[in-house]
Amino acid sequence: MKHILSLSYGKDSLACLGAIEQLGWPLDSIVHAEVWATDTIPADLPPMVEFKAKADKIIKERWGIEVEHIRHRMNYEEMFYRPICRGPAKGTLKGWPLIKGGWCRHLKVTDKLSPKGIVSYIGIAADEPNRFHVLSETKRSPLVEAGWDEPYCRQWCEENDLLSPIYTTATRGGVLVLP
């Protein structure tokens, strides 16, 4: 069985590194699903691109694992101009997705994150019981098992120089789509 951390670079998924270490759980690899605006422009703003590089370096130095960055064959631009394939709007352009629902899952590569024979570690904090329903034998949250809540995850990230710059203006950044 291979054990993979699905990393979003948010406080909860980064704090999973500390919880995994505390619990003594195995960790074989770390995967991050990149989202791109176009083929040459990342969807992340420059401070986040810089933070990811810094975090990758810290992770490599401390845990000896190189973060694998994977990306979907399509980007935001291609999704915007993609025609609708079925239903009454068939043939019209999708345009900007609705805010309702997990539309960004179409831009993330999730099949690589949890194929058979894999245990995926995901950053669900102990104080997020409304998200526990996605946990299973193959989708586990080290934070829940260790009892780490969101404030503690933030504290751990601050103490380990792994707090994303997104948290200077927001309480949450990005979306992690579960397979």
Side-chain angles (χ1 to χ4, degrees), residues 122 124 131-141 144:
I122 53 178
I124 296 175
R131 297 179 63 204
F132 291 178
H133 69 279
V134 302
L135 300 177
S136 67
E137 287 294 314
T138 58
K139 256 185 222 122
R140 301 183 68 189
S141 174
V144 170

Side-chain angles (χ1 to χ4, degrees), residues 15-36:
C16 281
L17 290 163
I20 289 167
E21 193 171 62
Q22 178 183 317
L23 294 165
W25 287 3
L27 179 60
D28 301 303
S29 64
I30 301 169
V31 178
H32 173 68
E34 291 284 352
V35 179
W36 285 72

Side-chain angles (χ1 to χ4, degrees), residues 75-88:
N75 55 48
Y76 282 135
E77 183 179 45
E78 292 165 327
M79 285 295 290
F80 183 86
Y81 291 110
R82 192 173 89 177
I84 295 173
C85 300
R86 58 182 176 260

Side-chain angles (χ1 to χ4, degrees), residues 111-176:
D111 58 343
K112 189 167 184 177
L113 300 181
S114 63
K116 292 191 188 280
I118 297 291
V119 173
S120 292
Y121 296 143
I122 53 178
I124 296 175
D127 57 349
E128 297 181 287
N130 57 321
R131 297 179 63 204
F132 291 178
H133 69 279
V134 302
L135 300 177
S136 67
E137 287 294 314
T138 58
K139 256 185 222 122
R140 301 183 68 189
S141 174
L143 304 174
V144 170
E145 300 282 335
W148 290 19
D149 61 13
E150 288 192 272
Y152 186 76
C153 291
R154 182 184 178 113
Q155 177 187 333
W156 184 90
C157 287
E158 287 172 340
E159 291 170 356
N160 288 275
D161 201 23
L162 287 170
L163 187 66
S164 162
I166 195 76
Y167 295 106
T168 58
T169 58
T171 57
R172 187 167 295 283
V175 177
L176 175 65

